Every structure is written in C-alpha cells, then in structure tokens.
Amino acid sequence: MRALCYHGKHDIRCETVPDPTIEDGRDAIIKVTACAICGSDLHLYDGIMPGMETGDVLGHETMGEVVEVGKDNTKLKVGDRVVVPFTISCGECFFCRRGLYSGCERSNPDKAAAEKLWGHSPAGLFGYSHLLGGYPGGQAQYLRVPYADVGPIEVPEGLTDEQVLFLSDIFPTGYMAAENCNIHGGDTVAVWGCGPVGQMAIKSAFLLGAERVIAIDTVPERLALARRSGAVTLDFMDEDIYDKLQDMTSGRGPDSCIDAVGTEAHVTASADSVLDRVKTATFMGTDRPHVLRQAINCCRNFGTVSIVGVYGGLLDKMPMGSAVNRGLTFRMAQTPVQRYLPELMARIERGEIDPSFIITHRAGLEDGPELYKTFRDKQDGCVKVVLKP
C-alpha cells in the first residue's frame, strides 16, 4: 500500500509499505477513505518529538471502511463505515473503565520508555513515535486498528466523510478544551491559537454557553475563520495581549484561558518567547511555552487554564507564583476520544456543528509531503488538509 512515511526532520515521503494484517483477535483492518494532517503531526515534521524512526507511517486522524475483522471482535463487521480515535484503548483497564481512555494501561507496548520521560505512560497513539507504541498511522491506504471493539464508532447514513473525520481527534480535543473550562452563562473564554483545534474550541465554547470568545492568533485566514464562528479576534503581533484582555474584561481577566498552541509558540517581540527559541535551538530547552505563561498571567483569579496544545518535555520559567496565589485551576490531557464520540456524533447529526468548515485543502496521498510544508508554513491560506487515498 501507499503511505506517508517519516525520514527525519522536514522529510516526509509517500512510499510503498507492507499492507497491515490482523495480529490479534480484537483487531480490524480498515480501508482508509479520508485522513488528515494534524497540527500535532507538525511537531514530528519539525523533529521536536523524540522516538521517531525512519520509515514510520504517520497520521492519527483517520476514517474508512472495515475490510477485515479479527475472530474475537464482535462489534464490527466488514463493510462498516467508521471513524477511528487517535487514542488506542483496551476498554478494560483501570482508566478505560472510568472513561479515561487516553490513560490506558495496556495499549502502549513501549511504555517503559514513556515512563522514563514522563513518570507514567499514557495510551498508545497511532503514528506518533515509539514513545507511544510505534503504531503505524493512518495517512495510508489501509490501517490496522488494535482493540477495534473499543475505539471506532460507526458513521450513520447521510453524513459525509468530511463531516465526521475530525471526530478522530480535533473535534473532541477542542470540545474537551472548552468543557474543561466549566463554562457558565456570561463567561468570557480566551483561546490562544486559531488552528484546527483552536477553531473547534471556539465553536465548542459557544455550544457550551460562553457569552464571548476571544481568539488570539496572527494568521489572517485563521482570524477570519474565528470571526465567522462569532469570536472577537486579537492579532498578537499588533497588540499587547495582556493589556488588551484586561481592557476587554474590566481589569479582571477572562474567566477561562485555552492554550491550543503548545510547544511551538510563535516567536514574538517578548523577551520570554525569544529566550525560548534560543534555548530550543541550542538544545538547552525542550519546548517554547510562551503561550502558557501568557494564559496563566491573563486568566482571572480563580479561573481555569485549559491546556490542549501538545508539550513534550520540561517547561522553563512557569509563573507558578501567579497560579498558586490567585487560585487558578489547570486542566489538561491527551483527549480520551472514545468518551466524547457518542455525544459529538449526535451534535453533528442534529446539525449543531459541521466540523468540515475548517477544511481548506484536499488532495491525495502523493501530495502529502508537499502539503506538510504548506500547512507548517501557513502558505496558500492553509488551515486544514484532508487527504483521500
């Protein structure tokens, strides 16, 4: 089959690789009908996440048609059309039984390596380094799905691939970001980053009752998309974000702040963002957490900071004095996607949201390597790329 494969920093290739096969009775094989490039994939593209190996198949936003089912899988049948969560979860362990699927204790065969870095291992993920299982990803013509009686959700008739594809990751992730904020009527939510996850967080905050959403970015196309969703927008290259947010909230600060940026924050004129860039460039730091610092300092007393942007290592210069003395709540996770799928599928069916609004580019797998670069460099108005093998 054809698949997008990792060959080092900024080197993605469309290659022929072996077809996946059933390895366990609970497996399924799907023929991929649509997949996407995620902002998290750019951390792999930029060489930031450790544990990638030459030839690894990328991708964790995938859907398709079931073409083979393991002997112990009684949930799926050949011909089913399904969306596949990016989190691989057994459904039986301590965390899965509590709906915390991204903490699955069984699905990461490389968990010893993850434990050395993070203390404990999260669940295995598709196409996202050997720290998280080394599972081949879904930017390919076919995908093996472990624990396929737990993860995939069947797509109702009448919904298109593009309407449901993002249930695999970014819609549940953006929704969780907003849910973390415990939104009450009248609340103001600030969202840093208007990429795909940020856009879903904006939509979700309104769905959950926010009165006002303030979206922060500098890319014109992303800001325009946020405005179309009803957000007030701020360009961080043109305005002092802290001062502006205080002005807009009568000096109190937003009720909740969502970090949808993560480790690769843009370098601004601020001293801390420049220092972050120097440290990562000289291997003296692992992440660039300028946005997280700013979100902490901007949030109102006893507000919530919701973190869904990906961080991989040790963060420098965190303003914990601000957080502790002002009673902030932090909520964060790799999204336990399976927990959200029934509710979010129902919202799509009812017409409350159509996640396909973020798609700007459609192409085949062969165009994937070039579109990684387009997406990363924010060229050609690119907000979200969908690939159809």
Side-chain angles (χ1 to χ4, degrees):
M1 69 172 182
R2 301 293 280 172
L4 297 187
C5 301
Y6 175 88
H7 284 273
K9 184 177 180 179
H10 299 161
D11 187 359
I12 308 298
R13 304 176 194 175
C14 188
E15 299 181 319
T16 299
V17 302
D19 291 349
T21 59
I22 296 288
E23 298 178 19
D24 182 89
R26 296 174 67 184
D27 287 356
I29 306 294
I30 71 161
K31 180 180 180 181
V32 177
T33 57
C35 56
I37 301 174
C38 181
S40 299
D41 291 326
L42 297 183
H43 304 323
L44 307 179
Y45 182 72
D46 287 336
I48 288 184
M49 278 294 293
M52 292 298 293
E53 297 180 5
T54 298
D56 283 348
V57 178
L58 299 165
H60 58 268
E61 295 184 321
T62 312
M63 67 170 297
E65 180 183 333
V66 177
V67 294
E68 190 175 355
V69 178
K71 63 181 177 61
D72 300 319
N73 190 327
T74 58
K75 177 182 176 183
L76 298 179
K77 63 184 183 300
V78 171
D80 285 347
R81 187 164 155 252
V82 296
V83 178
V84 181
F86 78 96
T87 46
I88 301 170
S89 310
C90 73
E92 299 169 343
C93 71
F94 175 92
F95 293 105
C96 288
R97 290 198 309 271
R98 288 159 176 79
L100 305 173
Y101 295 97
S102 55
C104 180
E105 296 175 303
R106 298 180 181 176
S107 63
N108 184 2
D110 300 316
K111 69 183 204 175
E115 288 168 352
K116 287 180 182 178
L117 181 62
W118 295 321
H120 294 273
S121 173
L125 307 183
F126 287 106
Y128 216 79
S129 94
H130 290 262
L131 277 175
L132 297 169
Y135 290 99
Q139 291 169 4
Q141 292 177 308
Y142 293 89
L143 174 69
R144 171 186 165 246
V145 182
Y147 301 113
D149 51 354
V150 176
I153 184 171
E154 191 170 355
V155 179
E157 290 186 14
L159 296 179
T160 68
D161 281 9
E162 292 186 353
Q163 285 178 288
V164 299
L165 171 61
F166 304 131
L167 286 168
S168 58
D169 177 2
I170 60 170
F171 183 19
T173 297
Y175 191 86
M176 182 188 74
E179 185 184 72
N180 284 349
C181 297
N182 191 26
I183 294 169
H184 297 87
D187 276 5
T188 293
V189 179
V191 179
W192 275 258
C194 296
V197 168
Q199 298 290 342
M200 295 298 172
I202 292 164
K203 287 278 193 183
S204 298
F206 282 124
L207 282 174
L208 292 172
E211 180 175 307
R212 179 171 55 166
V213 177
I214 303 170
I216 302 157
D217 207 296
T218 192
V219 180
E221 293 82 6
R222 292 180 172 190
L223 290 171
L225 201 57
R227 286 192 292 272
R228 286 200 288 274
S229 292
V232 179
T233 60
L234 299 177
D235 186 331
F236 63 75
M237 296 302 286
D238 292 341
E239 305 186 75
D240 184 294
I241 296 302
Y242 175 84
D243 288 345
K244 190 67 178 177
L245 287 176
Q246 301 316 297
D247 289 344
M248 296 172 73
T249 57
S250 302
R252 180 175 294 138
D255 298 287
S256 300
C257 294
I258 295 174
D259 174 359
V261 176
T263 182
E264 292 188 88
H266 192 93
V267 179
T268 69
S270 67
D272 73 308
S273 72
V274 174
L275 182 60
D276 286 343
R277 185 68 187 90
V278 170
K279 283 190 169 184
T280 56
T282 57
F283 304 101
M284 296 177 65
T286 62
D287 299 75
R288 305 200 303 261
H290 163 72
V291 162
L292 183 53
R293 295 189 199 102
Q294 192 170 75
I296 290 169
N297 285 328
C298 289
C299 194
R300 71 159 169 83
N301 294 354
F302 294 93
T304 298
V305 176
S306 174
I307 307 165
V308 290
V310 173
Y311 291 97
L314 305 174
L315 309 191
D316 290 347
K317 306 293 189 294
M318 281 295 104
M320 290 307 295
S322 173
V324 170
N325 284 287
R326 300 190 300 108
L328 300 188
T329 295
F330 288 78
R331 297 192 67 185
M332 65 204 84
Q334 286 281 14
T335 311
V337 174
Q338 293 90 333
R339 175 177 182 168
Y340 291 98
L341 287 181
E343 175 185 357
L344 298 188
M345 183 71 83
R347 286 187 181 272
I348 295 172
E349 282 193 278
R350 292 195 296 266
E352 296 176 11
I353 183 171
D354 180 352
S356 67
F357 78 95
I358 62 168
I359 301 171
T360 54
H361 290 63
R362 299 168 176 85
L365 280 179
E366 300 292 335
D367 299 309
E370 186 59 32
L371 283 170
Y372 259 88
K373 184 177 188 303
T374 300
F375 185 33
R376 191 258 187 191
D377 294 340
K378 303 173 181 64
Q379 298 171 338
D380 191 30
C382 186
V383 176
K384 188 66 174 178
V385 176
V386 170
L387 303 174
K388 302 205 172 181

